[in-house]
Amino acid sequence: MVPTKKKDLQELVTETTKDIYEDLAPQLIQMINETKMNPELTEAQKQDEISLHMMGYVKSCTNEIIIEVLAHILGLEEE
């Protein structure tokens, strides 16, 4: 269904956002856990790495949300 009202678009974006963040969360958790367990890093370096992981996670999620919503609206199919 292509949204025809702003509310419909908002619902599509919200639902897609939840799905994408849930789908990508396990990868983020794995990266954070690996960083926490890295004995070669100081605590400050670990926090810096975790911050970078979080920023990358948000960027990846945002990109995927945009792609999924536009693909839905434009009727694009998976390859």
Side-chain angles (χ1 to χ4, degrees), residues 24 28 31 51-62:
L24 296 180
L28 173 64
M31 289 189 307
S51 293
L52 289 173
H53 294 325
M54 294 294 294
M55 286 188 288
Y57 172 69
V58 171
K59 181 187 175 295
S60 294
C61 289
T62 301

Side-chain angles (χ1 to χ4, degrees), residues 35-62:
T35 300
K36 286 181 178 180
M37 302 299 272
N38 188 339
E40 297 177 9
L41 298 176
T42 65
E43 286 303 314
Q45 289 172 321
K46 288 178 183 180
Q47 290 304 312
D48 289 345
E49 287 292 316
I50 290 171
S51 293
L52 289 173
H53 294 325
M54 294 294 294
M55 286 188 288
Y57 172 69
V58 171
K59 181 187 175 295
S60 294
C61 289
T62 301

Side-chain angles (χ1 to χ4, degrees), residues 51-77:
S51 293
L52 289 173
H53 294 325
M54 294 294 294
M55 286 188 288
Y57 172 69
V58 171
K59 181 187 175 295
S60 294
C61 289
T62 301
N63 287 348
E64 287 300 314
I65 293 162
I66 292 167
I67 291 166
E68 288 297 319
V69 169
L70 285 175
H72 179 85
I73 291 170
L74 297 173
L76 303 175
E77 296 184 16

